[in-house]
């Protein structure tokens, strides 16, 4: 089975920086893209940033984080990080890692599916 585990969330003052990490584990053959979403109570889940995991690197960011957040592939396989700088109180949310188009083996068969992590809490105080 495939699992995504996030880490790095914390309580931090406005203007500070945090680095979130996500590791995908399991019998993974490949992943199309990984990304970070965030969610606060009563609001829809918001895409923060995505990155392709093979071939040329392509990234996308929500406008509100451009210039402050950077998504990157980790040195280890199937890992992704989100470097967050100049954090603002409105960045407070649960940040969830997503893996899109995960190709994995189960027995003799190849499957493709999407996966989510459990989330890591980022709280930015003013």
């Amino acid at each position: 089975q495939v699992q995504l585990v996030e880490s790095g969330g914390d309580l931090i003052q406005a203007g500070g920086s945090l680095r979130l990490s996500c590791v995908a584990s399991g019998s993974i053959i490949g992943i199309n893209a990984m990304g970070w979403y965030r969610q606060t109570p009563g609001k829809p889940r918001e895409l923060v940033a995505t990155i392709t995991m093979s071939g040329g690197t392509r990234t996308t960011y929500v406008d509100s984080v451009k210039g402050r957040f950077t998504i990157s592939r980790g040195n280890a396989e199937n890992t992704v990080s989100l470097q967050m700088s100049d954090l603002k109180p409105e960045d407070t949310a649960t940040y969830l890692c997503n893996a899109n188009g995960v190709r994995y083996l189960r027995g003799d068969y190849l499957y493709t599916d999407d996966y989510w992590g459990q989330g890591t809490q980022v709280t930015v105080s003013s």
Side-chain angles (χ1 to χ4, degrees), residues 56-78:
T57 300
R58 285 177 288 146
T59 59
T60 63
Y61 296 92
V62 66
D63 286 346
S64 60
V65 308
K66 286 180 180 177
R68 300 189 298 122
F69 291 11
T70 302
I71 189 169
S72 60
R73 300 175 189 168
N75 290 329
E77 199 170 14
N78 301 327

Side-chain angles (χ1 to χ4, degrees), residues 35-123:
W36 290 93
Y37 290 69
R38 61 188 179 188
Q39 190 157 27
T40 55
K43 292 186 178 181
R45 190 171 291 183
E46 177 185 46
L47 184 150
V48 177
T50 65
I51 187 168
T52 53
M53 297 300 287
S54 61
T57 300
R58 285 177 288 146
T59 59
T60 63
Y61 296 92
V62 66
D63 286 346
S64 60
V65 308
K66 286 180 180 177
R68 300 189 298 122
F69 291 11
T70 302
I71 189 169
S72 60
R73 300 175 189 168
N75 290 329
E77 199 170 14
N78 301 327
T79 64
V80 65
S81 295
L82 184 69
Q83 179 68 44
M84 306 186 294
S85 302
D86 189 22
L87 282 160
K88 304 176 180 181
E90 51 264 41
D91 294 319
T92 295
T94 299
Y95 283 72
L96 301 108
C97 180
N98 169 264
N100 174 267
V102 181
R103 298 177 297 284
Y104 63 98
L105 288 173
R106 184 186 295 171
D108 295 331
Y109 296 97
L110 180 67
Y111 294 83
T112 302
D113 211 338
D114 299 339
Y115 287 88
W116 291 91
Q118 293 295 311
T120 185
Q121 180 65 35
V122 173
T123 303

